[in-house]
Amino acid sequence: MEILKQKLSSDFDGLNIHIPDDKRMIISIAKESILSLLSYLKNDGYEHLALISCNDWIDAGKLELIYILSAYMADDTHYQEKEKKSIIIKTKISRNTAKFITISNLFNSAEPYERELHEMFGIVFEGHPRLTPLMLEREYKIPPFRKDFDTQAYVDNTFGKIPSIQQQKEGLQ
Amino acid sequence: MRELELFFGPQHLGMVGNFSITLKVEGDRIVRADANPGFLHRGFEKLMELRTWMQNFPLVCRINVVEPDHMELVYSMGVEKLAGIEVPERGKFLRSIYCEMARVGSHLFGLWAYANMLGFDTVAHWAMYHRDLLLDLFEELTGARVYHIYLRPGGVRRDFPDGFTDRLVETLHKIGGKVPDYNATFFENSLFKKRAEGIGIVTREEAIRMGAVGHIIKATGMKYDIRKIEPYDAYNQVDFDIPVRTAGDAYSRLLAIRDDMIESVHLIFKLIDKMPKSGAVYTKTPNPFKWTIPKGETYVRCESSRGELGLYMVSDGGDKPYRVHFNTPSYNHGLTVLEKALVGESISDVGNIMISLYVVAPEIDR
C-alpha cells in the first residue's frame, strides 16, 4: 500500500490518500483527473471494478462519486497480497449541474451502475451508450435517492393519504 | 432474414424470478439481448437510510431471497468495521458454520431451479427436499425458515441448541449420501450434458473484462474466492479447497457449483471439529435505540454462494446509516455478463444460460 501511495503521489497532483488499514486505500481526487487515475490503476492490475456508488452531501451542495477497484489473481492458484486490497476512489461534482464523464469504455461493468446513478441521483454521464431508465417506472421531479426526496410526502401524494386507525374508527361511527 | 423482437419474462416458464430480457432474434438465434430488471425494486438502500442500525436487519435479509444469510453477514461486518466491534472466537465459528449451511441450501435451491427448468423433475424434487431438511435446522436454530436474522453486529443472536451439531452432521450425511444419485441422474446424464456443454461460454478474458466473480470466474480456472483472498470469521483457521473448472461453459459452471457444495459440507465438518467448546457467542452492543456509530466509511466484502458480495457503507455519526450500497454479484452477472453470453445462442437456451449464471432477480433490484 505504501509503495502504491508513493507511486501515485509522484505521478498525480492533488491527491489526498488515506490508508485506514493494510487492505483499504481511500483516494480523493479532483474530477478532471479521474479517468487518468482509473486507467493508470487498471493498467497496474486493479482491473475489477467492484462498485460505482454515490453520496449526496446535501449541506455542502455536492454529489460524491465513489469507484471501488480491486485486483484479480495474477496466479490462478496462489494468493498474493495484491488481491486483498480494495481501492476506494472519490471525487466530488456539483449537485445542481450533475454532469460527469462515463467510464464505460474503460470498464464494461460500469454501464449498469452509471445507468442506475443517472436514475437515482440524476447524474448525466456524458458519452454513455444508453442512458435509459433501468429500474424505475415513474418519472420523479427529484431523483429518489437524493437526500431532499421526501419518501413520506411522495407516498401520500401518489397513492393518497391512508387515514390512521383512529380516523378510520371515527369514520365508521 | 427478418429480425424480431421477443419479450422473455417475467412471466415465462424458463425464467426464474422477476426479471425480463428483451431479445432481438433472427430465426432462432439471438442477435442482441437487453436485460430489463426492476420488477422487484423496493428501494431498500433508501429505506435503510431512514432506519436505525439494528432496524435494518429485516430489510437486509430480503435483498436476496434465496440466500439471506450472507446479506446479514456483510451488513454485520460493515457495522462492526465502522463501530470497531470484535467478534468472540466461538461466535466466529458459529457464523461460518451458519453461512456454509446457507451456501449448501442456496446451491440446492439453484440445483432445483436448473433441474426444474430443463424438465428433470425427479432431481428437482430431491433438491427441494434436501433444502427443506436444512430449513428445518434453520427453523430450530432461529425460529424462521427463510429470513433467519441470526447474525448481528458482534456475533450471532444465540448459541446452538444442545445436540444441534449432531443433527446438522446427520442431515449433511443424508444429503451427501444422495450425491451419487444426483450424479447419475443429472450431472453425468447425457441428456443434461448435451443441453449444457458448450453453451453460454464466458472465457477468462471476457470474465475479467466484464468484472465477473464467483463460479463464472471459477469455471475458467481461477480460484478467486474472498474466503481465501481476504479471510473473515473462522475461514483462516480451517483448510479447504476452491473447486475450479476450465471450460467456462454452462456445464463447467454447474460442476463448479456442485463441487463447491460438496466442499462446503466438508468445511462444516472441519469447522465443527475445530470449534471452541464453550465461550461467548456475541459481543455486547449498546442499546439499539440509542446506538450511534462514529463518522466514517468502509467497504467490506464476503463470498456468498454467487460470488463476491460487497457493501459500501457511510456513517455521519448518527443513529442511522448515511448511505448503504450493496455490490451484489447478480447485478453484474445479470446486467453485463448475461447480455454478452446470450448473443449467438438459441432461444431455447436463454433460461439455461441465465440459471447457469446463477442470477437472482431480487439481488439486482434491491
Side-chain angles (χ1 to χ4, degrees):
Chain A
M1 278 276 146
E2 284 299 327
I3 303 164
L4 182 66
K5 183 179 176 179
Q6 281 167 11
K7 255 171 39 183
L8 285 173
S9 313
S10 63
D11 287 2
F12 289 91
D13 291 334
L15 284 190
N16 182 4
I17 301 177
H18 170 58
I19 302 180
D21 54 50
D22 56 348
K23 289 174 191 161
R24 298 285 180 272
M25 178 189 264
I26 302 174
I27 305 173
S28 303
I29 187 169
K31 61 179 177 182
E32 291 78 21
S33 18
I34 193 97
L35 263 185
S36 51
L37 177 68
L38 286 172
S39 54
Y40 179 96
L41 285 170
K42 192 188 173 192
N43 293 333
D44 199 37
Y46 293 91
E47 47 192 348
H48 177 43
L49 176 78
L51 185 66
I52 305 178
S53 185
C54 181
N55 263 334
D56 182 9
W57 298 107
I58 187 166
D59 296 336
K62 296 279 181 192
L63 288 174
E64 188 179 45
L65 283 160
I66 291 112
Y67 299 84
I68 299 177
L69 295 183
S70 59
Y72 279 111
M73 291 162 67
D75 185 328
D76 275 358
T77 47
H78 290 96
Y79 298 96
Q80 292 162 1
E81 280 299 306
K82 192 167 189 174
E83 56 258 16
K84 292 183 181 174
K85 292 163 188 158
S86 295
I87 303 177
I88 302 168
I89 300 146
K90 307 196 296 183
T91 188
K92 282 187 178 170
I93 58 172
S94 161
R95 204 167 171 278
N96 297 327
T97 50
K99 266 189 189 170
F100 204 56
I101 30 172
T102 176
I103 62 156
S104 57
N105 41 9
L106 206 56
F107 295 95
N108 277 4
S109 52
E111 199 191 303
Y113 284 116
E114 289 183 347
R115 276 172 82 187
E116 192 183 350
L117 292 186
H118 169 65
E119 199 170 30
M120 302 299 180
F121 286 92
I123 304 169
V124 179
F125 288 95
E126 285 163 349
H128 192 285
R130 49 166 175 177
L131 218 47
T132 49
L134 183 68
M135 306 277 187
L136 303 178
E137 187 184 17
R138 296 186 177 86
E139 294 275 316
Y140 293 85
K141 273 181 204 150
I142 302 170
F145 270 47
R146 288 200 181 192
K147 286 281 174 187
D148 50 355
F149 182 84
D150 187 346
T151 45
Q152 187 64 51
Y154 174 76
V155 170
D156 289 347
N157 294 336
T158 314
F159 303 105
K161 204 167 175 71
I162 300 166
S164 69
I165 294 171
Q166 191 64 37
Q167 284 168 330
Q168 284 177 17
K169 273 182 187 166
E170 283 165 8
L172 283 176
Q173 287 162 3
Chain B
M1 201 184 280
R2 198 158 66 98
E3 273 186 19
L4 285 174
E5 201 175 41
L6 197 70
F7 292 90
F8 194 91
Q11 311 296 342
H12 188 279
L13 285 176
M15 180 64 73
V16 175
N18 316 53
F19 186 73
S20 113
I21 311 168
T22 312
L23 302 170
K24 276 250 172 66
V25 291
E26 212 179 71
D28 189 40
R29 294 285 138 192
I30 294 159
V31 182
R32 187 192 156 90
D34 282 301
N36 181 18
F39 294 94
L40 206 64
H41 191 264
R42 297 145 291 182
F44 276 159
E45 284 165 358
K46 175 83 180 178
L47 292 176
M48 284 165 75
E49 292 168 11
L50 309 171
R51 283 162 173 75
T52 61
W53 298 99
M54 289 300 255
Q55 275 179 334
N56 279 329
F57 270 94
L59 298 185
V60 167
C61 61
R62 278 163 177 83
I63 290 175
N64 187 343
V65 179
V66 181
E67 193 197 18
D69 316 278
H70 280 97
M71 287 291 170
E72 294 167 25
L73 175 72
V74 79
Y75 182 77
S76 302
M77 281 165 72
V79 175
E80 279 156 16
K81 192 100 175 267
L82 281 175
I85 302 169
E86 285 288 324
V87 182
E89 198 60 23
R90 188 172 158 84
K92 285 182 180 173
F93 274 88
L94 296 195
R95 267 186 175 194
S96 294
I97 293 171
Y98 170 79
C99 284
E100 290 309 307
M101 281 167 71
R103 194 184 308 278
V104 176
S106 165
H107 285 331
L108 284 168
F109 194 89
L111 185 57
W112 165 80
Y114 211 145
N116 194 36
M117 201 273 303
L118 291 179
F120 290 85
D121 281 352
T122 313
V123 184
H125 285 305
W126 287 346
M128 213 30 145
Y129 168 65
H130 286 140
R131 177 173 179 265
D132 227 59
L133 294 180
L134 278 173
L135 294 191
D136 288 343
L137 288 170
F138 277 124
E139 189 177 10
E140 183 192 346
L141 182 61
T142 65
R145 289 177 78 80
V146 179
Y147 302 120
H148 315 118
I149 320 187
Y150 180 60
L151 305 185
R152 47 167 285 172
V156 298
R157 207 144 46 101
R158 60 171 82 91
D159 207 336
F160 283 172
D162 285 340
F164 180 79
T165 48
D166 298 338
R167 287 190 287 283
L168 174 60
V169 169
E170 197 184 315
T171 305
L172 292 176
H173 276 302
K174 201 169 176 178
I175 297 171
K178 202 73 180 170
V179 169
D181 288 352
Y182 276 120
N183 285 341
T185 41
F186 191 59
F187 295 109
E188 282 157 20
N189 187 339
S190 56
L191 287 173
F192 171 62
K193 269 172 133 173
K194 282 203 169 143
R195 278 304 298 272
E197 264 176 348
I199 294 290
I201 296 174
V202 181
T203 60
R204 166 74 65 83
E205 288 72 34
E206 283 172 339
I208 289 181
R209 206 179 59 232
M210 296 187 283
V213 290
H215 61 283
I216 297 179
I217 195 97
K218 284 176 199 163
T220 67
M222 193 193 281
K223 294 192 173 188
Y224 186 85
D225 194 300
I226 305 299
R227 287 176 293 173
K228 285 278 191 189
I229 290 171
E230 207 186 319
Y232 50 93
D233 291 346
Y235 287 114
N236 53 358
Q237 303 187 35
V238 282
D239 182 38
F240 62 101
D241 192 30
I242 306 296
V244 290
R245 298 276 153 171
T246 47
D249 59 353
Y251 187 59
S252 50
R253 281 198 288 274
L254 200 73
L255 289 190
I257 291 169
R258 179 197 66 178
D259 296 348
D260 187 33
M261 182 164 81
I262 297 170
E263 190 63 37
S264 276
V265 172
H266 292 302
L267 184 52
I268 295 177
F269 295 152
K270 287 176 193 164
L271 284 165
I272 290 174
D273 282 345
K274 263 217 161 156
M275 182 168 67
K277 292 289 166 278
S278 60
V281 294
Y282 62 87
T283 312
K284 214 167 178 325
T285 50
N287 180 346
F289 296 108
K290 296 171 187 162
W291 192 7
T292 55
I293 286 183
K295 228 177 188 175
E297 63 185 318
T298 185
Y299 179 68
V300 288
R301 50 185 185 163
C302 72
E303 183 82 11
S304 81
S305 66
R306 284 166 175 77
E308 176 187 342
L309 171 66
L311 167 65
Y312 175 73
M313 191 145 80
V314 182
S315 167
D316 65 341
D319 60 348
K320 301 180 184 87
Y322 191 79
R323 172 84 169 118
V324 187
H325 195 156
F326 287 93
N327 159 28
T328 49
S330 294
Y331 191 87
N332 191 17
H333 295 169
L335 300 181
T336 311
V337 183
L338 181 68
E339 286 186 354
K340 302 276 190 313
L342 283 180
V343 174
E345 303 290 347
S346 84
I347 298 173
S348 56
D349 284 328
V350 173
N352 189 348
I353 292 167
M354 176 159 165
I355 300 179
S356 83
L357 292 174
Y358 235 25
V359 176
V360 183
E363 240 187 24
I364 302 174
D365 289 350
R366 301 198 289 268

